[in-house]
């Protein structure tokens, strides 16, 4: 199984944005863009305007992760800005999840949903057949550098089992602490897309080309053990 890599753009060097995109476009599979409203989680990061800027240089699909209390306030904006996947949190949409999924599809985007660590997979079971990207948080939302939550391996395994049992087509994406210490366990559990931030990519080397090469080397070595 080929695992895809999706750099978390909140971790990139914005002073070298175009240069870094030129490197990443040839190396990675997707881009992960966190939008936080300071309310759903106590932090504020990227914005629809930045998504629009990224779209001018990004040559791989952009997944916009809406860590926002009212995701429907943001969906149309990020779709217009160039998002290919739009991933709101299940905790914020389950009152109108089917309308939200239809809204995302109607804008020409792929549907995603994100689960916080304490939210069980059963919370979204009635619309798993409608989503393209299932993101499992392996840290609590809002801040980089948190420790990996071991209990999430069971959730990843469950997502894989359901996908195989019912023929679902979603990709299983992991958000949080994806690095050499966790690669093998995530891979063995069924992870298909790894979101890499400082510990998995950007902090490995000041030269992003070398950092990417190191990331792939770290992953291949980890899963071979």
């Amino acid at each position: 199984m080929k695992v895809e890599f999706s750099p978390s753009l909140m971790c990139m060097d914005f002073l070298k944005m175009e240069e870094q995109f030129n490197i990443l476009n040839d190396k990675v599979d997707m881009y992960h863009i966190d939008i936080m409203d300071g309310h759903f989680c106590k932090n504020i990061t990227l914005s629809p305007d930045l998504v629009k800027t990224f779209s001018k240089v990004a040559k791989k699909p952009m997944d916009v992760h809406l860590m926002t209390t009212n995701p429907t306030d943001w969906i149309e904006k990020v779709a217009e800005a160039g998002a290919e996947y739009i991933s709101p949190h299940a905790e914020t949409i389950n009152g109108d999840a089917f309308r939200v999924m239809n809204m995302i599809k109607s804008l020409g985007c792929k549907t995603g949903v994100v689960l916080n660590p304490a939210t069980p997979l059963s919370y979204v079971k009635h619309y798993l057949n409608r989503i393209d990207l299932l993101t499992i948080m392996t840290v609590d939302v809002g801040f980089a550098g948190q420790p990996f939550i071991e209990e999430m391996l069971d959730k990843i395994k469950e997502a894989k089992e359901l996908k195989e049992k019912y023929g679902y087509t979603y990709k299983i994406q992991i958000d949080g602490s994806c690095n050499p210490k966790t690669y093998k366990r995530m891979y063995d559990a069924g992870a298909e897309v790894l979101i890499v931030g400082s510990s998995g990519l950007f902090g490995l080397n000041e030269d992003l080309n070398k950092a990417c090469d190191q990331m792939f080397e770290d992953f291949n070595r980890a899963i071979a053990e």
Side-chain angles (χ1 to χ4, degrees), residues 178-187 194 196 200 215 219 222:
C178 296
N179 58 48
K181 295 179 181 178
T182 59
Y183 284 151
K184 181 170 177 55
R185 285 172 290 166
M186 291 179 176
Y187 176 79
L194 300 176
V196 284
M215 175 183 71
F219 177 77

Side-chain angles (χ1 to χ4, degrees), residues 7 12-13 16-17 19-24 27 201-203 205-214:
M12 77 186 309
D13 184 346
K16 301 177 180 178
M17 188 184 79
E19 174 189 331
Q20 295 203 334
F21 269 109
N22 287 337
I23 294 168
L24 293 171
K27 301 277 190 178
L201 174 60
F202 292 100
N205 196 301
E206 289 187 9
D207 183 329
L208 189 56
N209 246 318
K210 292 180 179 178
C212 287
D213 292 343
Q214 184 67 52

Side-chain angles (χ1 to χ4, degrees), residues 51 123 128 190:
V51 177
Y123 197 65
L128 281 174

